[in-house]
Amino acid sequence: MKKVYAGVLLGMTMAFGSAAQADEEVTFYAANSEDAIQTVLDVARKLEPELKVNVVTASTGTLLQRIRAESQAPQADVFWSSGFGTLADYTELMQPVQASAELPVPTALNGPDHLWAGSNVHVVVLMTNASQLDGDAPKGWEDLLSGRYRGRIAFGDPTASSSAYLQLFGIYKKYGEEGVRKLAENVVVTGGSSSVYRGVANAEYPLGITIEYAAYRYVAGGQQDIALIYPQEGTFLSPEGLFMVKDAPHPEAAGKLYAVLTSAEFQQAILESSYRRPVRSDIDLKSVSSLPNLDQIEVFELDQQEAGEQREQLIEMWKNALSSAQ
């Protein structure tokens, strides 16, 4: 495999003039919200004003399958984003990228062998709506699995949502197959991950298992009934990453966009616009939010590579547990 350094193919030099003009165009497959994608474009316009970004949007699974289908004649240059557990299933589609300078990012929040980079890290939380709970809020996972809230807990579909899959994997690693069975018995599978936090915010469900930034936006927006609970037994981290597509048609431009997405400017901007927790340690979380620092949260460590390797087996276990619970 060719390795890319700072957006330039090793052994090549940056082109100028008319050739460079053609290479300033990049195709960006983005599985994110409109506001998140707009933040990318705004920062790219500032850092790389000559870069023309063509955006193709769809769900994570749809875009990854599309990249796989196009692998003999790639159309995409950069993909963003998916959970690390899902990305591990698509390594053959990735072009290794090495930053020209070491970024202040913990090793666990980047992919192996420079195949992908972390852009932000989600923290799994319990989102509650006090108007539906009457003060009876859970403290952690064991409360959710006890049956006390059966049928009142919104949960995403782990077969379609990378964040819901990571949540399922965390329960499995902490509580084993019995935990998967109890989870299936107690939750309402709502579909995509967005249906969980929207459902709780709209008082359709009193509880939801979701990701921190999505729930916190309602708190920051002044919705006083909404609260975030970090499970006392330890929560799970779900890093989100991007990659350059193997044999990307515009490798130099792809490298520039890749650098934008891993930059301090972008990670600060995405924190300010949507409260996504950055992977970079040089970003001041407290500058725009009241979210706790990671060292204030009890974390149950997960092996993201293992999450990817066990995906097929765990999804089958989940489907069987869900079928038995119905």
Side-chain angles (χ1 to χ4, degrees):
M1 274 190 191
K2 295 170 286 187
K3 185 169 284 191
V4 178
Y5 286 79
V8 185
L9 284 173
L10 187 62
M12 295 180 65
T13 58
M14 293 290 283
F16 295 93
S18 59
Q21 296 291 326
D23 259 352
E24 293 301 309
E25 188 168 329
V26 60
T27 299
F28 182 36
Y29 281 16
N32 274 281
S33 61
E34 286 185 19
D35 60 327
I37 295 168
Q38 188 59 54
T39 301
V40 176
L41 298 178
D42 290 344
V43 176
R45 190 176 298 113
K46 175 184 175 183
L47 298 182
E48 296 288 349
E50 300 302 317
L51 196 62
K52 178 183 177 183
V53 183
N54 300 315
V55 182
V56 177
T57 63
S59 68
T60 295
T62 297
L63 289 177
L64 289 172
Q65 287 299 322
R66 179 169 173 172
I67 294 171
R68 180 168 279 167
E70 295 170 346
S71 61
Q72 297 305 306
Q75 303 299 305
D77 293 298
V78 176
F79 167 82
W80 179 63
S81 61
S82 177
F84 282 18
T86 298
L87 289 175
D89 285 339
Y90 294 87
T91 55
E92 80 280 5
L93 305 177
M94 301 177 185
Q95 182 84 18
V97 177
Q98 171 73 62
S100 58
E102 187 176 348
L103 300 177
V105 178
T107 301
L109 298 183
N110 272 323
D113 302 320
H114 309 293
L115 286 173
W116 67 81
S119 57
N120 51 278
V121 57
H122 299 309
V123 178
V124 178
V125 298
L126 311 182
M127 180 179 178
T128 67
N129 189 319
S131 70
Q132 302 298 307
L133 275 176
D134 299 323
D136 184 29
K139 294 181 178 179
W141 300 118
E142 292 177 15
D143 287 339
L144 294 194
L145 301 179
S146 70
R148 199 164 98 206
Y149 303 98
R150 182 169 297 181
R152 304 172 68 200
I153 309 163
F155 183 60
D157 180 359
T159 68
S161 164
S162 59
S163 60
Y165 172 71
L166 191 283
Q167 294 155 21
L168 173 65
F169 179 72
I171 292 293
Y172 172 64
K173 293 303 294 183
K174 192 164 183 61
Y175 297 105
E177 189 169 353
E178 179 70 4
V180 174
R181 183 185 65 78
K182 288 183 177 180
L183 184 69
E185 288 176 350
N186 285 287
V187 300
V188 178
V189 179
T190 61
S193 56
S194 63
S195 63
V196 176
Y197 52 80
R198 287 173 181 165
V200 177
N202 294 331
E204 297 172 37
Y205 307 97
L207 291 164
I209 304 173
T210 187
I211 44 184
E212 179 185 54
Y213 87 91
Y216 185 76
R217 286 188 296 185
Y218 295 97
V219 175
Q223 195 164 334
Q224 296 182 357
D225 287 335
I226 302 302
L228 279 61
I229 296 172
Y230 297 85
Q232 62 182 4
E233 306 93 344
T235 191
F236 318 125
L237 301 185
S238 176
E240 195 170 67
L242 65 135
F243 65 85
M244 187 186 296
V245 176
K246 182 181 179 182
D247 298 324
H250 309 100
E252 293 186 19
K256 292 181 180 181
L257 182 59
Y258 195 99
V260 167
L261 285 157
T262 56
S263 70
E265 289 87 350
F266 169 69
Q267 293 196 17
Q268 178 71 36
I270 202 73
L271 172 64
E272 292 175 357
S273 65
S274 63
Y275 305 106
R276 295 190 188 211
R277 187 182 288 265
V279 295
R280 294 180 61 118
S281 59
D282 56 351
I283 306 296
D284 181 11
L285 195 69
K286 295 295 186 181
S287 65
V288 296
S289 77
S290 60
L291 291 171
N293 291 320
L294 276 181
D295 59 8
Q296 298 174 288
I297 301 170
E298 186 70 29
V299 173
F300 182 82
E301 298 288 347
L302 298 177
D303 184 329
Q304 303 291 331
Q305 189 73 19
E306 183 185 8
E309 293 168 353
Q310 295 192 7
R311 182 180 178 81
E312 185 175 341
Q313 168 196 341
L314 183 52
I315 288 297
E316 187 62 27
M317 184 190 301
W318 167 253
K319 288 179 178 177
N320 291 336
L322 202 59
S323 179
S324 297
Q326 292 173 346

